[in-house]
Amino acid sequence: MKKIAALLVIVFALTIVGCQPPEQAGGVTQAQLDSLKTQIQSLQSQVDNIQTALDSLTTLYNAHIDKFHKRGGTKAPAPSKGGRTVKPPEKG
Amino acid sequence: MKRLLALAVSLTALLILIGCEGEVTLETPSVTYTVTDNGATLRLSWIEISDADGYYIYADGVAIDTIDDPSVTTYDATQPAAIYEVSAYAGEDESDKATVDCTPVKTSNLTVYGLSDPDTTHPSGLAFTNDGVAYGISVKQANYPDLDYIFDDANFTTMTLTSPNSYSPVYNDKKDMALDAQVTSFDTVTIADAPGNYSTQTTLSSNAVYYLFMDQDDDGWDTDSDHFGKMKVESISGSTVTITVAYQPITGLRWLVTK
């Protein structure tokens, strides 16, 4: 009877000890985790800023290409099968 | 004995009642459609089906929505697809599916030539049959009314897709425009951009895909006669241009799902 009581006490003690929340996870403290979280949030913000700047740069680049390199403008009307002159482009 | 007889009569009556219960036959919805939202939405409509509990909506064979109120008989389809289907259901029973075919008509590897090509038999124009099949057409007076696009490398330094009304005098009054889709895969384009940035003169590059907006009556987007399409320039070699085209036969609809 005594043995059983002793065993029950041991089990109870182990349960209490085992249920205690860990103070550290893998050697990292909560303060360190909070610091890491702040750094990641800061990096996320910086990436967003870079993305915005990149979008703006892409828009400027495309406008430049369209204006100076892509269209090439019209050249003097040449004899062709059409035999017509070209009007300015229209959007729609 | 009497109890046995009563039981037999009751059982027989029950069997007759069960056996005589009519099987529900659901009519197939008769679906019509209108194009809305500048060509982005296909509004499907049908008449309420009696005995139905609701309706199933399918896009390219996949059930995408369920309408569980039989009195609701319209559905705004916004997911581009080649085939939309509608069926009625009652419990486990389902009617046949009504089909709305939105498949663009595809013409592959069509060869056209820039206006600078001296061979007058080489077509520099692009036109579509009533069924939406693209074909090369010579830019000559008899064909002016049929012209939809012109491949012009005579009046431009690089191959340019132009509208028939972009010349003086005009070839015809159609305002057929294009817009670079900024992709290289033809099938990637499932919907053309909304009108606004299309141009009557679009510089073409090899291995590029372009949206086409044929504003036939030059009055902005409508469902009277406007059509959308997409065109991939497979190659440009000198004045020779090889293209693949898809044409949406439903007026005003911008969906361009090809496989």
Side-chain angles (χ1 to χ4, degrees):
Chain A
M1 190 67 182
K2 278 183 180 176
K3 279 184 179 174
I4 292 172
L7 276 171
L8 280 173
V9 169
I10 290 167
V11 167
F12 182 74
L14 284 171
T15 306
I16 296 290
V17 170
C19 287
Q20 292 307 306
E23 282 185 6
Q24 293 189 353
V28 181
T29 64
Q30 187 61 43
Q32 286 173 317
L33 280 174
D34 288 343
S35 168
L36 195 62
K37 187 180 171 186
T38 309
Q39 287 178 43
I40 288 171
Q41 282 171 340
S42 170
L43 279 172
Q44 178 73 52
S45 171
Q46 288 176 39
V47 167
D48 288 346
N49 290 340
I50 289 170
Q51 183 65 54
T52 306
L54 193 62
D55 287 346
S56 171
L57 195 63
T58 305
T59 306
L60 288 170
Y61 173 78
N62 285 338
H64 172 82
I65 292 294
D66 272 349
K67 193 171 180 183
F68 297 106
H69 301 282
K70 227 174 163 185
R71 298 228 171 262
T74 57
K75 64 184 182 185
S80 70
K81 284 186 281 187
R84 283 161 159 75
T85 55
V86 180
K87 296 195 286 191
E90 289 179 59
K91 293 276 184 184
Chain B
M1 188 63 183
K2 277 186 179 175
R3 288 174 71 180
L4 200 63
L5 188 66
L7 189 66
V9 168
S10 302
L11 274 172
T12 309
L14 188 67
L15 283 171
I16 289 169
L17 279 173
I18 291 168
C20 288
E21 194 178 327
E23 192 177 301
V24 176
T25 306
L26 288 167
E27 275 183 59
T28 306
S30 180
V31 177
T32 56
Y33 59 80
T34 52
V35 178
T36 62
D37 190 20
N38 266 356
T41 301
L42 192 66
R43 176 166 293 170
L44 307 172
S45 306
W46 57 92
I47 294 168
E48 184 174 345
I49 302 296
S50 56
D51 298 323
D53 291 338
Y55 310 96
Y56 293 132
I57 310 293
Y58 297 84
D60 288 334
V62 178
I64 58 162
D65 220 337
T66 301
I67 298 171
D68 56 11
D69 179 351
S71 67
V72 175
T73 55
T74 59
Y75 181 79
D76 280 345
T78 55
Q79 176 183 321
I83 303 283
Y84 257 87
E85 292 167 307
V86 180
S87 66
Y89 73 88
E92 297 292 312
D93 294 327
E94 185 178 0
S95 74
D96 288 339
K97 295 168 186 165
T99 301
V100 177
D101 191 348
C102 316
T103 311
V105 179
K106 187 175 175 181
T107 308
S108 299
N109 297 313
L110 179 66
T111 300
V112 289
Y113 303 84
L115 273 179
S116 71
D117 189 314
D119 188 336
T120 53
T121 65
H122 281 171
S124 296
L126 180 68
F128 295 91
T129 67
N130 289 335
D131 296 328
V133 178
Y135 62 99
I137 183 171
S138 294
V139 181
K140 60 182 183 183
Q141 190 149 16
N143 295 335
Y144 290 170
D146 297 326
L147 283 170
D148 277 304
Y149 290 97
I150 294 148
F151 291 83
D152 194 343
D153 61 346
N155 298 295
F156 297 86
T157 51
T158 51
M159 189 65 72
T160 301
L161 190 69
T162 60
S163 170
N165 78 342
S166 200
Y167 295 84
S168 181
V170 297
Y171 287 108
N172 62 46
D173 290 327
K174 296 175 189 173
K175 187 178 181 182
D176 293 341
M177 295 167 281
L179 175 65
D180 193 340
Q182 307 283 344
V183 295
T184 56
S185 168
F186 189 72
D187 292 334
T188 300
V189 172
T190 58
I191 184 168
D193 267 16
N197 289 317
Y198 288 80
S199 174
T200 53
Q201 296 167 16
T202 305
T203 306
L204 300 180
S205 305
S206 292
N207 200 32
V209 180
Y210 300 86
Y211 306 125
L212 304 177
F213 171 32
M214 287 158 265
D215 184 7
Q216 304 275 285
D217 38 14
D218 190 7
D219 61 352
W221 178 87
D222 61 42
T223 57
D224 296 339
S225 57
D226 295 352
H227 285 275
F228 286 86
K230 59 182 175 180
M231 176 182 84
K232 178 168 185 182
V233 177
E234 306 287 356
S235 65
I236 301 175
S237 175
S239 284
T240 306
V241 186
T242 305
I243 56 172
T244 292
V245 186
Y247 175 95
Q248 176 52 259
I250 297 176
T251 51
L253 186 64
R254 289 193 274 128
W255 296 359
L256 297 165
V257 177
T258 50
K259 285 165 186 158

